[in-house]
């Protein structure tokens, strides 16, 4: 018997400082599934000024609104915005109503910009810095890079939404008290029930914003200009909103990604109207899936030339 | 270092011919889809308008002109007979009011005859309020006319297959016609009356119409021709405002004037001189109205006249299956009217089906879901009983309740319910709620002014539903309230309450209402409905008063938990005529119990349920799709070629037949073939644009090669290959996060590799970078050279076995370049190798052991640097006497002195040994200072790529 229990690794490499440890030829300690850990990417984004500013503004906005309400002179002008104008009138009637108002004024634009920022900037900025090619040369598998980037961007988007609502709820409750949720469209809701409705509203909003996330992410992998991806997503969103105002388009409007963006108001009525919420969810999920699929398809095949 | 120039970017962004074609095709498809979706959809129907003269009246010989339009499906003909629908309009309307409904029925395969009822629009005659001798007989003649048409299907000679559909005035006609003419096969009367005298003179304790309280608001509106009256649920309406007279389809001469309501203008009246107080109303109807409106009471003659126009007395003659549709928001013809019709017709065994919807004379068509439901029921009814298609619709009862506001359309949303048997307005269950309050005095205002407002006819759908207009006058009403309800009650039907009243006058007209009061005190009067009562024989003192049961109007409403019920008894109401004399009554409750009828029903599944399934399906599909994609990717990964090409197993890099062609057809590299062996420092040399960077991009897995293979230690390299982890790279300049310090950038990079911290060898890398304390500064403040050194350090992290550096000395100063040379040469030991790309010849010559020269995408030379440079035959001599030396050397055999360059002596020894040449010179007494072989890469390079300085990379 030769008695040899060890075989020499590939000739000429055995003496290397980091000889191969894997049949795939990878360096010692390298595993594709271990590359670009979620936490690392989360910290990478957290260190960026735009992340800190965006999240900070989410905390600041409810405070600004609260201070603005302190200037209320009591002249009760009719807001003239139909049944949902009551959201404004009732804004100071309790913490829940204050939170609802804050969401109401942020949902149509501010949150769209914030989500577009997190999801549109994430890949494009790496490309513009030139660091994307080094990540791919690590190598971080492209699908994994996209998945981690997307999950982190979504996590920050969700965090922004929760920070906005959480801060508003906290300072609103401290200032106006833990009161039932009021509106003219529904019976008064007890605080517990009201909080549940609020969470449902936040959930639906998060789903609707998936469209923005998808669009921004798709643009992010197709361009090297972070501003282009963020701005493009916001612009397209605004375009869709404008088209949605044109009733002459008829049934086509239901296919616009923004058509159901205000359906969350139905969650405030009694009983809850989920019809449009369900359709809005279908629309948002379908669009987001489409955009993300395109993003993955494009990114896993494209030549990185930046 | 090559970043895509703007020109190249634009060229790439511009559509190629193929892309342009594809884009154009997609655009055309999109535009086509949009045009298809928004095209004006006119159903395929033929119409013909005609002024028909029919003979009717009590004797059947009075001619009257009726303005008619017949809508025929396009395929209807003598050979393809179709069933018919007689479509009647509402009060104050014309045939044009029902045009859209007519077109829809015609689109469903019915011949539809619409006509303007006598007394309206351009039809002749006077208004007799659906009198059996006039309007109803007119309709009979229209049936005769239909039966004679060749396209209309008949059940027997002269008996057309026909259904009658109409709302309000048209609905009354449908019932009366079905009672009079057995040729009618089915009827769908909507929001119409059972007893016209009771509708206009209601009394909610069950007294006769002669005792009723006059509904002056509605009556005045009708008589004065105040405008559109009665919009049916499916749009079957009497709306005059919507369609101008003489709309495009009318074939006849232009209308003389706005033929809206009766008595609106002189032009609307027919030829005979019109009584200005009666307009187009028939004299007897007009006289009855004037009598009632003057006194607020109806005499028996007036009641009899109204009863002639009511189905109430003839219900037993109706044999046509009847679908009754009644509105919940209807203060003119409340739910009780349809209830009475349903009972009367069903008593003979005629199939009857009842549906309530949330619209009505006050509520309009109601929400979309409601009008859809009513349309569906109507079509189902006609299809079965007239056309003979589909199963029997059955007799289950459907109703709906306003559920709230639609967040998107700002309209109302209704939830539909159904139950198998029609329960009537008394419901199937009953919930008693106790209301309390002391006896209260209430004042009757003189001449009914000021008056409480409960509903305003045609104030719009929202006003009554929101209770926004409801208001009671202080001192004129009594309130009785319940405790907050412990749980919600779904009221379906007519609640009842028992009251007592006392009055010095012995008689009182009172209005009993049931409010829903929310916890904030906001009170809502459901649909503005009130129950007027006329109590007579009242005692002076309340203690002696007898209780009477008041049946409140039928409602469908959910009273939420925590809400209170409030019974209000008022003395005045804007919508009714009340006694002129001032008086004070006392009002009390009899037993303080409000009986709320309830019906157990199940919600009708709506499109929402379908959407929920769609959503579930979509989510499931996405999950399945994800699983499949991930599984396929895993499988592909597992099947990835992990074999080692034995020939290259020990070779850090072997490039074979590499070719890269960009999308715009530009061939960046082709047939690139070279090896990097352990211990080598290989220079990839070439002019700008020769294809060096493209080669390195492919090597890093950033770009897919068009053809060829790359092997790293025998592993085939494709984008993302794990073996890339054994390569450290600097390609196309540094790439750092500008907001992080140099050290943090290195750490962030290493974190992204997921490899053990200890393998990174940060200290060695930082020493190579040589940044000192600057390593803690943000990289955006770095100089070009500092970034370059940091990038090289990053490439060396983990001490990869193959180091690939693109223009590594770019931006470095001479001492750093010299240092870099030493570092690279030292690095290429222990089996490691280095590949350096550069266009700086001296750098390659001094650093590299081997070189690969690339030009225009092709390799022009490769091998050890010495080989490429070659053993140059020319030698440079520095001698003490160049002229003598030149003469001497010229004489030597085979040796050639090259033309003088800068006074130097360059000799082509041409095979003669240099030592021999030196010896000859020395022998001739010429001092030799230096002998330098002219061995320069530059010469070799220029010889290889050509001297033309322009365009080496511009192909």
């Amino acid at each position: 018997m030769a008695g040899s229990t060890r075989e020499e690794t590939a000739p000429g490499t055995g003496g290397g400082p980091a000889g191969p440890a894997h049949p795939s030829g990878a360096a010692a300690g390298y595993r594709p599934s271990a590359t670009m850990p979620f936490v690392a990417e989360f910290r990478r984004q957290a260190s960026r000024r735009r992340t800190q500013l965006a999240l900070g503004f989410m905390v600041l906005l409810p405070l600004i609104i609260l201070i603005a309400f302190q200037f209320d002179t009591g002249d009760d002008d009719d807001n003239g915005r139909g049944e949902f104008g009551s959201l404004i009138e009732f804004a100071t009637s309790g913490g829940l109503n204050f939170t609802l108002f804050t969401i109401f004024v942020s949902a149509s634009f501010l949150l769209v910009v914030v989500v577009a920022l997190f999801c549109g900037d994430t890949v494009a900025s790496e490309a513009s810095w030139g660091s994307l090619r080094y990540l791919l040369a690590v190598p971080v598998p492209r699908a994994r890079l996209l998945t981690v980037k997307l999950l982190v961007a979504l996590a920050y988007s969700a965090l922004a939404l929760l920070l906005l609502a959480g801060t508003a709820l906290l300072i609103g409750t401290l200032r106006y008290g833990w009161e039932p949720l009021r509106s003219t469209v529904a019976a008064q809701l007890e605080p517990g029930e009201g909080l549940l409705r609020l969470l449902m509203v936040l959930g639906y909003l998060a789903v609707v914003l998936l469209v923005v996330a998808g669009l921004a992410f798709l643009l992010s992998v197709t361009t090297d200009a972070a501003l282009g991806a963020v701005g493009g997503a916001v612009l397209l969103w605004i375009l869709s909103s404008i088209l949605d105002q044109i009733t002459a388009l008829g049934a086509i409007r239901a296919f616009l990604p923004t058509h159901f963006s205000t359906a969350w108001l139905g969650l405030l009525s009694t009983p809850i109207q989920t019809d449009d919420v369900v359709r809005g969810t279908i629309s948002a999920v379908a669009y987001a899936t489409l955009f993300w699929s395109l993003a993955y398809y494009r990114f896993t095949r494209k030549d990185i030339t930046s | 270092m090559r970043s895509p120039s703007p020109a190249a970017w634009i060229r790439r962004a511009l559509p190629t011919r193929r892309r342009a074609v594809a884009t154009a095709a997609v655009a055309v498809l999109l535009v086509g889809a949009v045009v298809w979706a928004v095209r004006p959809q006119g159903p395929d129907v033929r119409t013909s308008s005609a002024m028909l003269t029919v003979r009717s009246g009590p004797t059947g010989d009075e001619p009257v002109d009726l303005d008619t339009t017949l809508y025929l499906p396009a395929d209807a003909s003598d050979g393809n007979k179709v069933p018919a629908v007689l479509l009647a309009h509402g009060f104050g309307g014309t045939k044009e009011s029902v045009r859209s409904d007519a077109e829809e029925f015609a689109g469903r395969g019915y011949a539809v005859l619409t006509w303007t009822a006598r007394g309206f629009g351009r039809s002749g005659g006077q208004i007799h309020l659906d009198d059996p001798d006039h309007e109803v007989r007119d309709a009979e003649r229209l049936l005769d006319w239909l039966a004679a048409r060749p396209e209309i299907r008949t059940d027997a000679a002269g008996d057309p297959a026909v259904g009658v559909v109409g709302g309000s005035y048209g609905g009354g006609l449908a019932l009366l016609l079905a009672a009079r003419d057995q040729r009618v096969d089915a009827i769908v009367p909507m929001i119409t009356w059972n007893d016209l005298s009771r509708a206009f003179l209601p009394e909610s304790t069950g007294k006769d119409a002669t005792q009723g309280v006059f509904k002056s608001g509605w009556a005045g509106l009708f008589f004065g021709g105040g405008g559109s009256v009665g919009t049916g649920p499916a749009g079957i309406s009497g709306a005059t405002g919507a369609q101008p007279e003489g709309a495009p389809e009318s074939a006849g001469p232009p209308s003389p004037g706005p033929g809206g309501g009766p008595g609106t203008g002189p032009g609307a009246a027919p030829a005979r001189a019109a009584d200005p107080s009666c307009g187009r109303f028939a004299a007897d109807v007009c006289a009855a109205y004037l009598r009632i409106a003057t006194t607020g009471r109806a005499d028996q003659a007036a009641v009899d006249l109204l009863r002639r126009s009511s189905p109430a007395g003839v219900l037993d003659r109706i044999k046509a299956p009847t679908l009754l549709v009644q509105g919940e928001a209807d203060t003119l013809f409340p739910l009780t009217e349809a209830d009475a019709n349903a009972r009367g017709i069903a008593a003979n065994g005629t199939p009857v089906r009842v549906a309530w919807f949330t619209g009505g004379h006050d509520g309009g068509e109601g929400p979309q879901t409601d009008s859809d439901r009513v349309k569906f029921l109507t079509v189902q009814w006609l299809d079965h009983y007239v056309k003979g298609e589909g199963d029997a619709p059955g007799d289950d009862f459907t109703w709906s309740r306003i559920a709230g506001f639609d967040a998107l359309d700002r309209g109302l949303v209704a939830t539909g319910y159904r139950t198998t048997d029609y329960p009537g307005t008394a419901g199937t269950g009953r919930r008693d709620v106790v209301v309390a309050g002391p006896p209260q005095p209430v004042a009757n205002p003189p001449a009914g002014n000021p008056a409480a407002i409960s509903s305003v006819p045609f104030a719009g759908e929202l006003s009554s539903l929101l209770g926004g207009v409801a208001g009671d006058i202080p001192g004129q009403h009594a309130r009785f309230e319940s405790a907050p309800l412990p749980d919600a009650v779904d009221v379906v039907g007519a609640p009842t309450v028992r009251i007592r009243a006392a009055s010095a006058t012995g008689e009182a007209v009172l209005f009993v209402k049931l409010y829903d009061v929310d916890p904030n005190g906001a009170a809502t009067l459901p649909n503005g409905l009130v129950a007027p009562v006329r109590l007579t024989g009242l005692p002076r003192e309340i203690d002696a008063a007898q209780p009477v049961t008041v049946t409140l109007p039928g409602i469908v409403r959910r009273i939420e938990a925590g809400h209170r019920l409030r019974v209000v008894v008022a003395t005045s109401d804007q919508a009714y005529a009340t006694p002129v004399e001032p008086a004070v009554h006392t009002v009390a409750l009899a037993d303080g119990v409000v009986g709320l009828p309830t019906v157990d029903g199940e919600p009708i599944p709506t499109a929402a349920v379908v959407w929920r399934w769609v959503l579930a399906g979509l989510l499931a599909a996405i999950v399945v799709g994800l699983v499949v994609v991930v599984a396929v990717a895993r499988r592909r990964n597992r099947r990835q070629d992990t074999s080692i090409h034995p020939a290259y197993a020990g070779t850090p890099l072997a490039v074979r037949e590499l070719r890269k062609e960009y999308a715009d057809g530009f061939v960046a590299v082709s047939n690139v073939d070279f090896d990097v062996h352990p211990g080598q420092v290989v220079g990839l040399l070439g002019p700008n644009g020769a294809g060096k960077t493209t080669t390195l991009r492919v090597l890093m897995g950033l770009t897919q090669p068009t053809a060829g293979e790359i092997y790293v230690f025998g592993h085939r390299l494709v984008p993302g290959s794990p073996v890339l982890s054994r390569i450290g790279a600097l390609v196309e300049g540094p790439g750092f996060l500008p907001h992080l310090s140099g050290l943090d950038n290195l750490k962030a990079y290493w974190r992204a590799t997921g490899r053990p911290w200890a393998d990174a060898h940060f200290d060695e890398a930082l020493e190579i970078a040589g940044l000192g304390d600057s390593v803690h500064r943000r990289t955006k403040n770095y100089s070009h050279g500092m970034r370059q050194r940091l990038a090289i350090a990053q490439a060396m992290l983990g001490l990869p076995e193959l180091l690939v550096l693109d223009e590594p000395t770019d931006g470095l100063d001479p001492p750093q370049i010299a240092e870099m040379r030493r570092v690279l040469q030292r690095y290429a030991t222990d089996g490691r190798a280095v590949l350096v790309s550069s266009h700086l010849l001296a750098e390659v010559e001094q650093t590299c052991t081997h070189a690969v020269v690339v030009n225009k995408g092709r390799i022009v030379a490769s091998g050890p640097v010495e080989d490429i440079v070659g053993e140059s035959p020319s030698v440079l001599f520095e001698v003490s006497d160049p002229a003598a030396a030149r003469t001497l050397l010229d004489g030597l055999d085979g040796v050639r002195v090259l033309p003088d360059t800068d006074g130097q002596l360059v000799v082509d020894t041409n095979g003669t040994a240099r030592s021999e040449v030196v010896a000859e010179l020395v022998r001739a007494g010429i001092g030799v200072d230096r002998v330098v072989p002219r061995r320069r890469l530059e010469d070799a390079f220029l010889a290889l790529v050509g001297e033309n300085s322009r365009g080496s990379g511009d192909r």
Side-chain angles (χ1 to χ4, degrees):
Chain A
M1 292 295 281
S4 170
T5 55
R6 291 187 59 187
E7 279 186 4
E8 197 62 36
T9 47
T13 60
H22 197 269
S24 68
Y30 171 84
R31 275 183 302 120
S33 58
T35 56
M36 196 136 166
F38 182 89
V39 176
E41 171 63 13
F42 197 86
R43 285 171 60 178
R44 201 177 164 97
Q45 298 297 332
S47 69
R48 299 185 56 187
R49 187 71 74 204
R50 61 109 166 125
T51 311
Q52 296 156 2
L53 284 178
L55 292 181
F57 188 67
M58 293 293 109
V59 175
L60 204 58
L61 180 71
L63 281 167
I64 295 172
I65 294 176
L66 188 82
I67 293 167
F69 275 130
Q70 298 305 306
F71 289 99
D72 185 15
T73 54
D75 295 341
D76 199 14
D77 291 331
D78 184 13
N79 286 288
R81 296 179 62 170
E83 302 82 54
F84 294 97
S86 61
L87 284 181
I88 300 162
E89 287 161 27
F90 289 142
T92 56
S93 69
L96 288 170
N97 270 100
F98 181 76
T99 312
L100 202 58
F101 173 79
T102 308
I103 293 171
F104 180 74
V105 292
S106 327
S108 55
F109 190 69
L110 178 68
L111 287 174
V112 172
V113 173
V114 168
V115 172
L117 179 69
F118 285 133
C119 296
D121 177 85
T122 180
V123 179
S125 63
E126 298 276 2
S128 68
W129 293 329
S131 48
L132 180 61
R133 56 177 177 270
Y134 293 105
L135 290 176
L136 293 179
V138 160
V140 181
R142 291 189 182 194
R144 176 164 178 86
L145 182 119
L146 273 201
T147 306
V148 173
K149 284 260 173 208
L150 179 59
L151 288 179
V152 169
L154 290 180
Y156 273 108
S157 303
L159 186 64
L161 191 60
L162 289 177
L163 267 183
L164 180 73
T167 313
L169 189 60
L170 182 70
I171 66 171
T173 306
L174 288 177
R175 173 67 183 82
Y176 302 116
W178 185 241
E179 302 291 334
L181 188 62
R182 294 172 60 192
S183 73
T184 52
V185 296
Q188 184 164 306
L189 297 168
E190 288 309 306
E193 170 78 11
L195 186 64
L196 190 68
R197 296 285 181 95
L198 200 65
L199 290 176
M200 291 169 71
V201 167
L202 284 179
Y204 179 69
L205 247 150
V207 169
V208 167
L209 289 171
L210 287 183
V211 181
V212 186
L215 187 59
F217 199 69
L218 174 58
L219 292 175
S220 190
V221 303
T222 42
T223 175
D224 298 349
L227 190 66
V230 178
V234 174
L235 276 182
L236 288 173
W237 184 262
I238 291 173
L239 174 69
S240 172
S241 304
I242 290 172
L243 288 179
D244 196 33
Q245 303 288 320
I246 300 171
T247 46
L249 288 175
I252 293 180
R253 291 195 303 148
F255 291 96
L256 291 171
T258 54
H259 184 66
F260 298 100
S261 58
T262 54
W264 56 272
L265 292 166
L267 293 173
L268 300 176
S269 64
T270 306
I272 296 183
Q273 293 164 35
T274 54
D275 189 3
D276 285 329
V277 170
V278 169
R279 290 169 66 190
T281 307
I282 293 172
S283 165
V285 169
Y287 269 110
T289 309
L290 175 72
F291 289 142
W292 283 329
S293 305
L294 285 175
Y296 273 81
Y297 182 85
R298 174 109 184 81
F299 191 73
T300 49
R301 282 162 181 75
K302 84 173 207 173
D303 288 347
I304 307 295
T305 53
S306 55
Chain B
M1 202 90 26
R2 198 178 76 173
S3 62
S5 71
W9 187 87
I10 290 169
R11 196 176 58 223
R12 228 168 287 155
L14 279 177
T16 63
R17 190 189 162 83
R18 211 171 36 182
R19 251 187 262 168
V21 170
T23 311
V26 170
V28 165
L29 275 177
L30 274 177
V31 170
V34 168
V35 169
W36 177 83
V38 300
R39 77 193 193 285
Q41 275 177 315
D44 206 5
V45 294
R46 289 176 282 151
T47 62
S48 56
S49 298
M51 195 64 88
L52 297 182
T53 304
V54 298
R55 297 191 168 274
S56 54
T59 51
D61 57 0
E62 296 170 16
V64 64
D65 293 336
L66 295 179
D67 186 13
T68 66
T69 300
L70 179 67
Y71 299 76
L72 281 173
D75 57 351
S77 66
D78 200 359
N80 178 29
K81 292 179 186 292
V82 293
V85 168
L86 206 57
L87 187 55
H89 63 78
F91 197 86
T94 67
K95 63 177 187 177
E96 289 299 323
S97 318
V98 292
R99 183 170 58 184
S100 63
D101 292 298
E103 283 170 350
E104 186 161 345
F105 283 126
R108 291 181 183 278
Y110 291 93
V112 183
L113 181 60
T114 65
W115 77 105
T116 303
R118 60 160 65 212
F120 297 102
R122 287 189 290 143
S123 289
Q126 290 179 312
I127 301 164
H128 293 264
L129 292 183
D130 282 346
D131 183 77
D133 287 336
H134 297 90
E135 280 87 352
V136 179
R137 192 163 275 185
D138 292 347
E140 277 189 276
R141 299 288 85 81
L142 293 177
L143 292 184
D144 297 343
W145 184 81
L146 273 179
R149 294 281 303 192
E151 305 92 343
I152 309 294
R153 191 197 294 171
T154 51
D155 299 326
D159 178 5
V162 66
V164 187
V165 179
S168 192
Y169 195 57
L173 181 96
L175 284 163
L176 289 160
L177 180 62
R180 191 179 167 96
D181 194 324
Q182 302 305 316
R183 289 179 295 173
V184 175
D185 297 304
I187 54 173
V188 185
M190 302 178 183
I191 58 169
T192 193
W193 67 88
N194 170 256
D195 182 338
L196 204 53
S197 65
R198 189 179 57 223
F200 278 102
L201 295 148
E203 212 290 327
S204 298
T205 59
K207 292 202 180 76
D208 191 74
T210 50
Q211 296 289 310
V213 184
F214 182 47
K215 209 182 268 179
S216 56
W218 275 112
L221 200 70
F222 275 113
F223 196 76
S228 57
V229 175
T231 303
I236 293 166
S237 68
T240 48
Q243 293 292 343
E245 273 303 297
E249 296 202 57
S250 304
S255 171
T264 47
R272 90 174 71 160
D275 180 347
S277 64
C278 289
R280 294 181 76 174
F281 275 98
D284 53 346
V285 174
C286 179
Y289 171 76
L290 293 178
R291 285 204 307 281
I292 298 171
T294 308
T295 60
R297 300 289 292 268
D299 52 45
Q300 192 58 48
V303 170
D304 287 345
L305 180 103
L306 292 174
R307 290 241 167 96
R308 262 180 71 76
S309 299
S310 300
V314 293
L315 291 176
D316 55 342
R317 287 191 238 148
I318 295 179
K319 301 290 179 245
T322 305
L323 171 66
L324 287 160
V325 180
Q326 202 74 355
E328 294 157 19
D330 200 328
T331 52
L332 179 62
F333 302 131
L335 297 175
T336 42
E337 296 296 311
D339 186 51
N341 281 335
R343 290 177 189 290
I345 298 170
N348 317 310
T350 307
V352 174
R353 194 180 200 190
V354 181
W356 295 349
F357 73 112
T358 55
H361 281 89
D362 294 293
E365 289 187 30
Q368 185 69 40
T369 49
D370 259 6
S371 38
D372 287 350
R373 174 167 60 94
V374 170
K375 252 180 208 166
F376 170 79
L377 291 175
T378 306
V379 169
Q380 186 192 32
W381 199 259
L382 293 177
D383 279 357
H384 179 74
Y385 288 111
V386 179
K387 206 191 251 180
E389 287 177 2
D391 295 332
D395 61 351
D396 60 342
F397 168 57
T398 58
W399 74 99
S400 58
R401 192 178 74 211
I402 293 292
F405 289 99
D406 186 329
L408 294 182
D409 301 334
R410 301 290 191 268
L412 293 165
V413 172
T415 314
Y417 296 88
R418 74 162 154 234
T419 187
T420 46
D421 297 311
Y422 174 62
T425 55
T428 50
R430 181 182 151 112
R431 168 78 181 269
D432 286 342
V433 176
V434 175
V435 290
Q440 293 156 55
V442 290
N444 182 43
N449 189 30
I453 300 170
S454 56
S455 68
V456 179
F458 291 105
E461 7 187 318
L462 292 186
S463 62
S464 60
L465 290 163
L466 280 174
V469 298
D472 292 307
I473 311 289
Q476 295 182 21
H477 71 280
R479 290 183 182 198
F480 307 95
E481 239 173 47
S482 75
L485 298 189
D487 47 358
V489 184
D490 286 314
V491 184
V492 181
T496 54
V497 64
R498 281 154 61 80
I499 63 167
R500 292 180 299 145
S503 175
T505 59
E507 187 177 319
V509 171
L510 298 170
F511 300 91
V512 187
K513 329 179 205 187
L514 184 67
Y515 281 90
D516 175 1
V517 185
D518 76 12
N520 296 322
T524 307
L525 181 61
N527 287 326
L529 291 161
V530 303
V533 295
R534 186 186 298 277
L535 303 177
T536 50
L538 296 180
R540 287 183 160 274
E541 295 302 324
I542 190 71
D543 294 337
Q546 292 300 310
V548 288
T549 300
V550 179
T551 305
L552 293 159
I555 54 171
V556 177
R557 186 180 181 86
R558 180 183 174 88
I559 315 249
E560 298 288 344
H563 285 215
R564 298 160 186 269
L565 287 184
R566 179 187 293 163
V567 174
V568 167
V569 182
T571 54
S572 63
D573 198 288
Q574 194 99 16
Y576 290 85
T578 50
V580 178
E581 293 298 321
V584 175
H585 319 302
T586 308
V587 179
L589 293 174
D591 47 15
V593 171
V594 177
L596 301 174
T598 58
V599 177
D600 285 330
E602 60 190 60
I604 298 173
T606 58
V609 177
V610 178
W611 286 119
R612 247 168 248 176
W613 282 108
V614 170
L615 177 60
L618 180 68
L619 292 177
I622 288 173
V623 168
V624 169
L626 261 181
V627 167
V628 167
V629 167
V630 168
V632 167
R634 284 251 168 101
R635 182 134 176 260
R636 201 186 292 161
N637 269 351
R638 225 177 299 127
R639 284 170 50 187
Q640 205 173 33
D641 184 15
T642 56
S643 64
I644 298 173
H645 197 297
Y648 311 123
T651 313
L653 178 65
V655 179
R656 290 290 168 266
E657 303 282 324
L658 188 69
R659 179 185 174 88
K660 174 64 186 178
E661 192 177 333
Y662 284 109
D664 54 3
F666 178 77
V667 181
V669 292
S670 64
N671 285 324
V672 167
D673 233 341
F674 65 91
D675 292 335
V676 175
H677 291 284
Q680 290 182 344
V681 179
V682 176
L684 190 59
L685 188 61
N688 283 329
K692 305 189 295 287
T693 303
T694 300
T695 307
L696 295 189
R697 269 193 210 145
V698 176
L699 178 54
M700 297 326 299
L702 301 175
T703 302
Q704 289 269 13
T706 312
E709 292 102 45
I710 296 176
Y711 294 95
V712 175
F713 294 109
H715 295 277
R716 175 119 187 255
L717 189 143
V718 292
S721 286
V723 77
L724 273 170
S725 60
R726 288 160 76 179
I727 304 179
L730 160 63
V731 183
E732 291 187 272
F736 293 115
L737 278 59
H739 56 278
L740 291 184
S741 72
L743 183 60
D744 287 342
N745 258 300
L746 294 189
K747 286 181 174 169
Y749 170 79
W750 193 254
R751 255 184 233 116
T753 66
R755 291 165 64 183
W757 206 246
D759 287 1
H761 301 278
F762 280 109
D763 293 342
E764 285 98 319
L766 286 174
E767 196 183 318
I768 288 161
L771 289 170
D773 283 343
S774 293
V775 82
H776 299 296
R777 286 169 56 205
R778 292 182 176 186
T779 54
K780 67 175 162 195
N781 300 322
Y782 277 21
S783 72
H784 189 58
M786 290 164 81
R787 265 184 227 157
Q788 188 75 10
R789 278 180 284 151
L790 190 65
I792 294 168
Q794 177 178 296
M796 289 183 177
L797 278 183
L799 302 179
E801 288 146 274
L802 176 62
L803 191 61
V804 177
L805 301 175
D806 188 10
E807 313 274 2
T809 54
D810 184 36
L812 267 55
D813 56 25
Q816 288 164 344
I817 292 176
E819 172 64 20
M820 191 55 59
R821 243 177 251 150
R822 280 191 292 279
V823 165
L824 294 184
Q825 280 160 354
R826 210 166 50 232
Y827 194 85
T829 53
D830 292 341
R832 290 187 292 236
V834 178
L835 176 65
V836 177
S837 96
S838 180
H839 62 276
L840 297 175
L841 304 163
E843 179 182 303
V844 172
E845 189 172 4
Q846 293 174 28
T847 315
C848 301
T849 58
H850 294 67
V852 177
V853 184
V854 194
N855 188 40
K856 300 188 180 182
R858 289 171 182 278
I859 289 186
V860 289
S862 70
V865 172
E866 299 83 23
D867 287 2
I868 291 179
V869 172
E871 193 53 39
S872 171
S874 57
V875 182
L876 175 76
F877 287 89
E878 273 184 45
V879 292
S880 56
D881 184 357
R886 185 180 296 268
T887 321
L888 173 79
L889 294 176
D890 271 342
L892 283 176
D893 190 26
V895 177
R896 192 164 59 86
V897 180
L898 297 178
D900 182 50
T901 47
D902 302 337
Q904 291 177 320
L905 191 65
V906 180
V907 179
D908 189 347
T909 56
N910 211 5
T912 312
R914 269 175 291 195
S915 56
E916 208 169 298
V917 177
V918 171
E920 287 290 337
L921 285 171
V922 169
R923 237 177 279 147
I926 298 166
V928 179
D929 292 332
R930 286 209 303 165
V931 180
V932 183
R934 276 263 321 229
R935 204 184 79 115
R936 284 172 59 192
L937 187 55
E938 184 177 342
D939 298 341
F941 182 71
L942 291 177
L944 288 168
V945 305
E947 296 214 25
N948 192 349
S949 65
R950 69 169 284 274
S952 55
D954 313 334
R955 280 173 279 162

